[in-house]
Amino acid sequence: MQLGRFNHIGVAVPDIEEAIAFYRDVLGAKQITEPFDLPEQGVKVCFVNTPGHDGTEGTQVELLAPLDETSPVANFIAKNPLGGQHHVCFEVPDIEAARAEFEAAGKRILGPTRIGAHGTPIFFLHPKDMLGQLTEIMESPKEGALH
Ligand SMILES: CC[C@H](C(=O)O)C(=O)SCCNC(=O)CCNC(=O)[C@H](O)C(C)(C)COP(=O)(O)OP(=O)(O)OC[C@H]1O[C@@H](n2cnc3c(N)ncnc32)[C@H](O)[C@@H]1OP(=O)(O)O
Ligand SMILES: [Co+2]
């Protein structure tokens, strides 16, 4: 496996506008993207861009609100009404090679490889196989692509 950049931490929130105001007003976030719907994933999503450190590139907090009660985030919010840390996302150079390696390692992959919020292919690994951490694997954006 070739672990790449830590792309984002996914944070489930009951209300994305309230969460944006919190990150802006309480945490002083300077760059927050406009929320957009991902109906195929059942979520409304936006990104809080965090500054880098020691010359390294920053990362993102991905704020996720359920679009409806069938959303994969809805059950999490039902169990955690305030929301909270939901998943982590690591980049890999080749999503299909990564999928094959995790499958060979007996890790449960949740659903098909699909296009995520950054416009590149992603899949999820079951938290019970990943030290309790729901893990998203994302193919690194090609050089020059927006992400
Ligand atoms: C793709 C767009 C965007 C992007 O970055 O590109 C996103 O990230 S979208 C993010 C939302 N989509 C997903 O999360 C898809 C993958 N998730 C799932 O398939 C489910 O949420 C799943 C299987 C992780 C949980 O399903 P469900 O909630 O129906 O199951 P349970 O509540 O019964 O949970 C089973 C077991 O897992 C524990 N659990 C559930 N969610 C999490 C979590 N986020 N982190 C850690 N553990 C989690 C839960 O506590 C249960 O454990 P148990 O000991 O049995 O109580
Ligand atoms: Co994500």
mmCIF file of all heavy atoms in Angstrom, residues 8 38 41 43 62 64 72-73 75-76 79 86-87 110 114 116-117 122 124 126-128 132 134 136, ligand 1:
data_model
loop_
_atom_site.group_PDB
_atom_site.id
_atom_site.type_symbol
_atom_site.label_atom_id
_atom_site.label_comp_id
_atom_site.label_asym_id
_atom_site.label_seq_id
_atom_site.Cartn_x
_atom_site.Cartn_y
_atom_site.Cartn_z
ATOM 1 N N HIS A 8 -8.693 14.756 4.023
ATOM 2 C CA HIS A 8 -9.648 15.500 4.872
ATOM 3 C C HIS A 8 -10.134 14.642 6.024
ATOM 4 O O HIS A 8 -10.007 13.418 6.005
ATOM 5 C CB HIS A 8 -10.849 16.015 4.061
ATOM 6 C CG HIS A 8 -11.748 14.961 3.473
ATOM 7 N ND1 HIS A 8 -11.595 14.476 2.189
ATOM 8 C CD2 HIS A 8 -12.800 14.278 3.993
ATOM 9 C CE1 HIS A 8 -12.519 13.566 1.943
ATOM 10 N NE2 HIS A 8 -13.271 13.420 3.018
ATOM 11 N N LEU A 38 -24.661 16.502 -2.691
ATOM 12 C CA LEU A 38 -24.204 15.304 -3.424
ATOM 13 C C LEU A 38 -25.319 14.268 -3.270
ATOM 14 O O LEU A 38 -25.226 13.364 -2.433
ATOM 15 C CB LEU A 38 -22.901 14.779 -2.826
ATOM 16 C CG LEU A 38 -21.590 15.345 -3.352
ATOM 17 C CD1 LEU A 38 -20.432 14.728 -2.575
ATOM 18 C CD2 LEU A 38 -21.404 15.080 -4.834
ATOM 19 N N GLN A 41 -24.701 10.677 -2.879
ATOM 20 C CA GLN A 41 -24.066 10.229 -1.626
ATOM 21 C C GLN A 41 -24.955 10.559 -0.428
ATOM 22 O O GLN A 41 -24.588 10.279 0.708
ATOM 23 C CB GLN A 41 -22.717 10.940 -1.425
ATOM 24 C CG GLN A 41 -21.792 10.893 -2.617
ATOM 25 C CD GLN A 41 -21.199 9.512 -2.843
ATOM 26 O OE1 GLN A 41 -21.266 8.660 -1.965
ATOM 27 N NE2 GLN A 41 -20.631 9.313 -4.008
ATOM 28 N N VAL A 43 -25.645 13.517 0.890
ATOM 29 C CA VAL A 43 -25.108 14.525 1.813
ATOM 30 C C VAL A 43 -25.063 15.911 1.177
ATOM 31 O O VAL A 43 -24.977 16.060 -0.042
ATOM 32 C CB VAL A 43 -23.666 14.148 2.254
ATOM 33 C CG1 VAL A 43 -23.675 12.920 3.154
ATOM 34 C CG2 VAL A 43 -22.740 13.931 1.052
ATOM 35 N N GLU A 62 -14.158 18.363 6.246
ATOM 36 C CA GLU A 62 -15.312 18.203 5.349
ATOM 37 C C GLU A 62 -16.564 18.164 6.223
ATOM 38 O O GLU A 62 -16.747 17.226 7.020
ATOM 39 C CB GLU A 62 -15.171 16.892 4.573
ATOM 40 C CG GLU A 62 -16.334 16.571 3.660
ATOM 41 C CD GLU A 62 -16.164 15.206 2.996
ATOM 42 O OE1 GLU A 62 -16.314 14.184 3.672
ATOM 43 O OE2 GLU A 62 -15.867 15.177 1.798
ATOM 44 N N LEU A 64 -20.405 17.583 6.793
ATOM 45 C CA LEU A 64 -21.390 16.742 6.115
ATOM 46 C C LEU A 64 -22.721 16.775 6.854
ATOM 47 O O LEU A 64 -22.779 16.466 8.042
ATOM 48 C CB LEU A 64 -20.924 15.274 6.150
ATOM 49 C CG LEU A 64 -19.673 14.903 5.377
ATOM 50 C CD1 LEU A 64 -19.123 13.603 5.911
ATOM 51 C CD2 LEU A 64 -19.980 14.814 3.900
ATOM 52 N N PRO A 72 -26.337 8.072 4.611
ATOM 53 C CA PRO A 72 -25.461 7.311 5.507
ATOM 54 C C PRO A 72 -25.071 8.130 6.733
ATOM 55 O O PRO A 72 -24.710 7.590 7.769
ATOM 56 C CB PRO A 72 -24.232 6.984 4.665
ATOM 57 C CG PRO A 72 -24.314 7.827 3.469
ATOM 58 C CD PRO A 72 -25.735 8.211 3.279
ATOM 59 N N VAL A 73 -25.229 9.445 6.659
ATOM 60 C CA VAL A 73 -24.868 10.308 7.796
ATOM 61 C C VAL A 73 -26.040 10.425 8.768
ATOM 62 O O VAL A 73 -25.861 10.708 9.960
ATOM 63 C CB VAL A 73 -24.428 11.693 7.277
ATOM 64 C CG1 VAL A 73 -24.176 12.673 8.406
ATOM 65 C CG2 VAL A 73 -23.173 11.572 6.432
ATOM 66 N N ASN A 75 -28.015 8.177 10.150
ATOM 67 C CA ASN A 75 -27.963 7.235 11.269
ATOM 68 C C ASN A 75 -26.908 7.657 12.289
ATOM 69 O O ASN A 75 -27.101 7.569 13.487
ATOM 70 C CB ASN A 75 -27.652 5.837 10.717
ATOM 71 C CG ASN A 75 -28.023 4.753 11.707
ATOM 72 O OD1 ASN A 75 -28.841 4.956 12.583
ATOM 73 N ND2 ASN A 75 -27.370 3.616 11.594
ATOM 74 N N PHE A 76 -25.818 8.201 11.781
ATOM 75 C CA PHE A 76 -24.741 8.671 12.668
ATOM 76 C C PHE A 76 -25.265 9.822 13.531
ATOM 77 O O PHE A 76 -25.065 9.862 14.753
ATOM 78 C CB PHE A 76 -23.540 9.133 11.823
ATOM 79 C CG PHE A 76 -22.356 9.577 12.643
ATOM 80 C CD1 PHE A 76 -21.347 8.681 12.977
ATOM 81 C CD2 PHE A 76 -22.242 10.897 13.077
ATOM 82 C CE1 PHE A 76 -20.243 9.081 13.736
ATOM 83 C CE2 PHE A 76 -21.147 11.304 13.836
ATOM 84 C CZ PHE A 76 -20.154 10.390 14.159
ATOM 85 N N LYS A 79 -27.538 8.795 16.267
ATOM 86 C CA LYS A 79 -26.813 8.256 17.422
ATOM 87 C C LYS A 79 -25.973 9.322 18.119
ATOM 88 O O LYS A 79 -25.640 9.207 19.292
ATOM 89 C CB LYS A 79 -25.888 7.125 16.969
ATOM 90 C CG LYS A 79 -26.594 5.852 16.547
ATOM 91 C CD LYS A 79 -25.532 4.818 16.193
ATOM 92 C CE LYS A 79 -26.102 3.433 16.047
ATOM 93 N NZ LYS A 79 -25.048 2.455 15.688
ATOM 94 N N HIS A 86 -16.473 11.825 11.828
ATOM 95 C CA HIS A 86 -17.191 10.779 11.114
ATOM 96 C C HIS A 86 -16.247 9.843 10.372
ATOM 97 O O HIS A 86 -16.369 8.630 10.441
ATOM 98 C CB HIS A 86 -18.191 11.430 10.144
ATOM 99 C CG HIS A 86 -19.022 10.462 9.373
ATOM 100 N ND1 HIS A 86 -18.714 10.087 8.088
ATOM 101 C CD2 HIS A 86 -20.148 9.777 9.724
ATOM 102 C CE1 HIS A 86 -19.611 9.225 7.661
ATOM 103 N NE2 HIS A 86 -20.483 9.015 8.630
ATOM 104 N N HIS A 87 -15.280 10.415 9.619
ATOM 105 C CA HIS A 87 -14.343 9.556 8.868
ATOM 106 C C HIS A 87 -13.062 10.340 8.583
ATOM 107 O O HIS A 87 -12.999 11.548 8.765
ATOM 108 C CB HIS A 87 -14.971 9.051 7.562
ATOM 109 C CG HIS A 87 -15.268 10.108 6.544
ATOM 110 N ND1 HIS A 87 -16.445 10.838 6.511
ATOM 111 C CD2 HIS A 87 -14.529 10.577 5.510
ATOM 112 C CE1 HIS A 87 -16.415 11.683 5.509
ATOM 113 N NE2 HIS A 87 -15.267 11.556 4.881
ATOM 114 N N LEU A 110 -17.081 -0.740 1.495
ATOM 115 C CA LEU A 110 -18.505 -0.395 1.592
ATOM 116 C C LEU A 110 -18.984 0.173 0.259
ATOM 117 O O LEU A 110 -18.765 1.333 -0.050
ATOM 118 C CB LEU A 110 -18.700 0.619 2.728
ATOM 119 C CG LEU A 110 -18.263 0.090 4.097
ATOM 120 C CD1 LEU A 110 -18.082 1.245 5.075
ATOM 121 C CD2 LEU A 110 -19.261 -0.939 4.611
ATOM 122 N N ARG A 114 -16.751 5.089 -6.350
ATOM 123 C CA ARG A 114 -17.601 6.106 -6.974
ATOM 124 C C ARG A 114 -16.891 7.442 -6.893
ATOM 125 O O ARG A 114 -15.891 7.559 -6.226
ATOM 126 C CB ARG A 114 -18.949 6.175 -6.263
ATOM 127 C CG ARG A 114 -18.834 6.382 -4.734
ATOM 128 C CD ARG A 114 -19.937 5.668 -4.041
ATOM 129 N NE ARG A 114 -20.073 5.923 -2.610
ATOM 130 C CZ ARG A 114 -19.633 5.088 -1.667
ATOM 131 N NH1 ARG A 114 -18.956 4.013 -2.006
ATOM 132 N NH2 ARG A 114 -19.843 5.326 -0.392
ATOM 133 N N GLY A 116 -16.243 11.011 -5.573
ATOM 134 C CA GLY A 116 -16.522 11.715 -4.328
ATOM 135 C C GLY A 116 -16.625 13.215 -4.512
ATOM 136 O O GLY A 116 -16.729 13.715 -5.639
ATOM 137 N N ALA A 117 -16.575 13.917 -3.391
ATOM 138 C CA ALA A 117 -16.821 15.374 -3.400
ATOM 139 C C ALA A 117 -15.699 16.161 -4.064
ATOM 140 O O ALA A 117 -15.856 17.335 -4.383
ATOM 141 C CB ALA A 117 -17.011 15.861 -1.970
ATOM 142 N N ILE A 122 -13.470 7.334 -5.135
ATOM 143 C CA ILE A 122 -13.297 7.033 -3.707
ATOM 144 C C ILE A 122 -13.984 5.709 -3.368
ATOM 145 O O ILE A 122 -14.837 5.244 -4.127
ATOM 146 C CB ILE A 122 -13.920 8.139 -2.810
ATOM 147 C CG1 ILE A 122 -15.435 8.264 -3.116
ATOM 148 C CG2 ILE A 122 -13.296 9.487 -3.043
ATOM 149 C CD1 ILE A 122 -16.314 8.068 -1.942
ATOM 150 N N PHE A 124 -15.035 3.475 0.618
ATOM 151 C CA PHE A 124 -14.967 3.489 2.078
ATOM 152 C C PHE A 124 -14.637 2.094 2.606
ATOM 153 O O PHE A 124 -15.069 1.092 2.039
ATOM 154 C CB PHE A 124 -16.308 3.941 2.680
ATOM 155 C CG PHE A 124 -16.551 5.417 2.556
ATOM 156 C CD1 PHE A 124 -17.176 5.941 1.429
ATOM 157 C CD2 PHE A 124 -16.133 6.282 3.557
ATOM 158 C CE1 PHE A 124 -17.393 7.312 1.308
ATOM 159 C CE2 PHE A 124 -16.348 7.648 3.438
ATOM 160 C CZ PHE A 124 -16.973 8.157 2.316
ATOM 161 N N HIS A 126 -14.823 -0.396 6.105
ATOM 162 C CA HIS A 126 -15.640 -0.511 7.319
ATOM 163 C C HIS A 126 -14.821 -0.152 8.564
ATOM 164 O O HIS A 126 -13.684 -0.626 8.722
ATOM 165 C CB HIS A 126 -16.192 -1.934 7.452
ATOM 166 C CG HIS A 126 -17.376 -2.018 8.371
ATOM 167 N ND1 HIS A 126 -17.258 -1.873 9.738
ATOM 168 C CD2 HIS A 126 -18.698 -2.174 8.116
ATOM 169 C CE1 HIS A 126 -18.464 -1.960 10.285
ATOM 170 N NE2 HIS A 126 -19.357 -2.141 9.325
ATOM 171 N N PRO A 127 -15.422 0.643 9.463
ATOM 172 C CA PRO A 127 -14.669 1.057 10.654
ATOM 173 C C PRO A 127 -14.157 -0.113 11.492
ATOM 174 O O PRO A 127 -13.088 -0.039 12.089
ATOM 175 C CB PRO A 127 -15.663 1.912 11.435
ATOM 176 C CG PRO A 127 -17.006 1.666 10.840
ATOM 177 C CD PRO A 127 -16.791 1.213 9.438
ATOM 178 N N LYS A 128 -14.939 -1.199 11.496
ATOM 179 C CA LYS A 128 -14.540 -2.333 12.339
ATOM 180 C C LYS A 128 -13.283 -3.029 11.832
ATOM 181 O O LYS A 128 -12.656 -3.793 12.560
ATOM 182 C CB LYS A 128 -15.685 -3.359 12.432
ATOM 183 C CG LYS A 128 -16.948 -2.814 13.083
ATOM 184 C CD LYS A 128 -16.701 -2.340 14.503
ATOM 185 C CE LYS A 128 -17.970 -1.891 15.177
ATOM 186 N NZ LYS A 128 -17.721 -1.202 16.465
ATOM 187 N N GLY A 132 -11.545 0.936 14.172
ATOM 188 C CA GLY A 132 -12.692 1.709 14.665
ATOM 189 C C GLY A 132 -12.930 2.997 13.899
ATOM 190 O O GLY A 132 -13.818 3.779 14.250
ATOM 191 N N LEU A 134 -13.973 4.796 10.436
ATOM 192 C CA LEU A 134 -14.489 4.763 9.059
ATOM 193 C C LEU A 134 -13.459 5.480 8.193
ATOM 194 O O LEU A 134 -13.078 6.624 8.485
ATOM 195 C CB LEU A 134 -15.846 5.463 8.993
ATOM 196 C CG LEU A 134 -16.479 5.585 7.602
ATOM 197 C CD1 LEU A 134 -16.707 4.231 6.941
ATOM 198 C CD2 LEU A 134 -17.792 6.362 7.679
ATOM 199 N N GLU A 136 -12.063 6.592 4.361
ATOM 200 C CA GLU A 136 -12.302 6.862 2.935
ATOM 201 C C GLU A 136 -10.960 6.861 2.233
ATOM 202 O O GLU A 136 -9.989 7.464 2.734
ATOM 203 C CB GLU A 136 -12.990 8.222 2.781
ATOM 204 C CG GLU A 136 -13.261 8.652 1.345
ATOM 205 C CD GLU A 136 -13.923 10.011 1.253
ATOM 206 O OE1 GLU A 136 -14.401 10.546 2.270
ATOM 207 O OE2 GLU A 136 -13.947 10.570 0.140
HETATM 208 C C1 LIG B 1 -18.439 10.702 -0.889
HETATM 209 C C2 LIG B 1 -18.713 12.124 -0.572
HETATM 210 C C3 LIG B 1 -17.870 12.618 0.553
HETATM 211 C C4 LIG B 1 -16.402 12.619 0.099
HETATM 212 O O1 LIG B 1 -15.525 12.807 0.941
HETATM 213 O O2 LIG B 1 -16.168 12.500 -1.119
HETATM 214 C C5 LIG B 1 -18.045 11.773 1.809
HETATM 215 O O3 LIG B 1 -17.172 11.530 2.580
HETATM 216 S S1 LIG B 1 -19.663 11.191 2.060
HETATM 217 C C6 LIG B 1 -19.622 10.435 3.715
HETATM 218 C C7 LIG B 1 -20.910 9.692 3.959
HETATM 219 N N1 LIG B 1 -20.882 8.382 3.320
HETATM 220 C C8 LIG B 1 -20.504 7.283 4.034
HETATM 221 O O4 LIG B 1 -20.214 7.329 5.218
HETATM 222 C C9 LIG B 1 -20.494 5.974 3.266
HETATM 223 C C10 LIG B 1 -19.887 4.839 4.092
HETATM 224 N N2 LIG B 1 -20.641 4.634 5.330
HETATM 225 C C11 LIG B 1 -21.424 3.507 5.509
HETATM 226 O O5 LIG B 1 -21.484 2.618 4.671
HETATM 227 C C12 LIG B 1 -22.174 3.409 6.830
HETATM 228 O O6 LIG B 1 -22.283 4.702 7.402
HETATM 229 C C13 LIG B 1 -21.497 2.457 7.885
HETATM 230 C C14 LIG B 1 -21.459 1.033 7.319
HETATM 231 C C15 LIG B 1 -20.101 2.933 8.242
HETATM 232 C C16 LIG B 1 -22.354 2.479 9.130
HETATM 233 O O7 LIG B 1 -23.663 2.119 8.732
HETATM 234 P P1 LIG B 1 -24.874 2.249 9.773
HETATM 235 O O8 LIG B 1 -24.840 3.595 10.416
HETATM 236 O O9 LIG B 1 -26.143 1.850 9.089
HETATM 237 O O10 LIG B 1 -24.505 1.096 10.749
HETATM 238 P P2 LIG B 1 -24.531 1.033 12.311
HETATM 239 O O11 LIG B 1 -25.018 2.297 12.941
HETATM 240 O O12 LIG B 1 -25.204 -0.246 12.653
HETATM 241 O O13 LIG B 1 -22.961 0.914 12.630
HETATM 242 C C17 LIG B 1 -22.327 -0.357 12.513
HETATM 243 C C18 LIG B 1 -21.151 -0.286 13.490
HETATM 244 O O14 LIG B 1 -20.209 0.684 12.961
HETATM 245 C C19 LIG B 1 -20.088 1.756 13.897
HETATM 246 N N3 LIG B 1 -20.034 2.987 13.098
HETATM 247 C C20 LIG B 1 -21.002 3.523 12.316
HETATM 248 N N4 LIG B 1 -20.572 4.670 11.737
HETATM 249 C C21 LIG B 1 -19.310 4.862 12.176
HETATM 250 C C22 LIG B 1 -18.321 5.866 11.969
HETATM 251 N N5 LIG B 1 -18.580 6.937 11.170
HETATM 252 N N6 LIG B 1 -17.124 5.748 12.583
HETATM 253 C C23 LIG B 1 -16.872 4.671 13.399
HETATM 254 N N7 LIG B 1 -17.755 3.663 13.653
HETATM 255 C C24 LIG B 1 -18.962 3.780 13.044
HETATM 256 C C25 LIG B 1 -21.312 1.729 14.784
HETATM 257 O O15 LIG B 1 -21.011 2.295 16.037
HETATM 258 C C26 LIG B 1 -21.580 0.238 14.855
HETATM 259 O O16 LIG B 1 -20.701 -0.318 15.782
HETATM 260 P P3 LIG B 1 -21.320 -1.196 16.997
HETATM 261 O O17 LIG B 1 -20.121 -1.541 17.831
HETATM 262 O O18 LIG B 1 -21.981 -2.367 16.311
HETATM 263 O O19 LIG B 1 -22.304 -0.270 17.679
#
